[in-house]
Amino acid sequence: MRARIFGLLHNAYAHIFVCMNPMQHIRLHVLKISQAEMAEVTGRDQATVSRWERGALEPSRDDMDKIRAYARSKRVRWNDRLFFEIPSAPAEGRAA
């Protein structure tokens, strides 16, 4: 995960805003599995999944096919846009 830190009053505190990669979003929020489980799904090792999430490496089309097939086998709602963008969270105070 990449973090951006912004100082507040008198630099006493800092807020950390986390920038989530689409692959990390898929794993954590869509499939709800660990890096080890994602590695098993794709036939890669956990280090490769970590590289995807850090943005150091992109998954291949074959990897994406395996992730898509896994999601569908688990009856997870799927859209291929998830590979390229993270859905925005609903604004606070609004009904979802």
Side-chain angles (χ1 to χ4, degrees), residues 22-85:
M23 291 305 295
Q24 189 174 40
H25 173 78
I26 289 169
R27 182 178 64 80
L28 291 174
H29 300 290
V30 178
L31 301 178
K32 298 178 178 144
I33 60 176
S34 68
Q35 284 186 344
E37 290 168 314
M38 179 70 97
E40 188 175 320
V41 165
T42 59
R44 303 292 184 163
D45 58 18
Q46 181 272 329
T48 298
V49 174
S50 177
R51 288 183 194 104
W52 292 342
E53 293 182 4
R54 288 192 325 261
L57 185 66
E58 293 292 326
S60 69
R61 179 172 282 164
D62 186 50
D63 297 324
M64 289 189 250
D65 289 342
K66 290 175 183 177
I67 293 165
R68 180 187 308 110
Y70 177 80
R72 289 181 176 160
S73 76
K74 297 296 182 183
R75 298 188 184 270
V76 173
R77 288 184 69 184
W78 186 260
N79 186 321
D80 280 349
R81 289 190 327 202
L82 291 170
F83 286 124
F84 308 102
E85 59 190 48

